[in-house]
Amino acid sequence: MIAVGAEHFASLPRFVVRRRLGAGGMGIVFEAFDTEREATVALKTLPNATSLDLYRFKNEFRSLANLAHPNLVTLYELISDGNRWFFSMEYIQGGNFLEYVRPPSAIGDDAPTQLG
């Protein structure tokens, strides 16, 4: 069985994709095992990027890569695989943000917990 998202990294056997963690305006994030680091990492990829999207993606990485703070994930590497770009970063086990800040018991059991 091939993990969801594994097709994004098929030419990079270094990363064994385990699952998709989420998606946003700038990309898709996957949980993966990095065989070089021998650790679980998060991989943020930028699918179907325009040149402006790629510029912003690279700027995001470069502006955050040298920051070190206990409340920020550590960024590891900016990697190109042909026309696809992604960066690896520290993986932090967590939960759903909205469920954390608004537990169902605080807003009523039948209230939605995700933005739609």
Side-chain angles (χ1 to χ4, degrees):
M1 181 171 129
I2 297 175
V4 174
E7 65 278 1
H8 291 285
F9 308 99
S11 62
L12 295 167
R14 168 184 173 180
F15 298 102
V16 179
V17 176
R18 293 181 175 156
R19 65 187 174 120
R20 179 179 159 157
L21 296 173
M26 277 292 290
I28 303 170
V29 179
F30 297 92
E31 175 187 337
F33 184 78
D34 182 341
T35 59
E36 284 185 18
R37 287 185 179 279
E38 296 185 353
T40 298
V41 298
L43 296 174
K44 183 173 183 179
T45 185
L46 187 62
N48 307 318
T50 66
S51 57
L52 181 58
D53 294 333
L54 182 55
Y55 174 77
R56 290 178 177 156
F57 188 74
K58 289 178 177 180
N59 271 352
E60 176 185 359
F61 179 83
R62 291 177 181 138
S63 64
L64 299 174
N66 293 325
L67 293 177
H69 189 277
N71 294 332
L72 296 174
V73 297
T74 301
L75 301 185
Y76 297 136
E77 295 175 72
L78 178 63
I79 301 168
S80 168
D81 177 30
N83 291 332
R84 292 175 300 170
W85 287 84
F86 62 95
F87 57 79
S88 61
M89 62 185 139
E90 177 183 15
Y91 171 75
I92 305 287
Q93 177 112 17
N96 180 293
F97 176 73
L98 289 177
E99 289 175 6
Y100 177 78
V101 296
R102 283 193 206 162
S105 61
I107 57 175
D109 292 335
D110 58 345
T113 57
Q114 295 183 352
L115 298 175

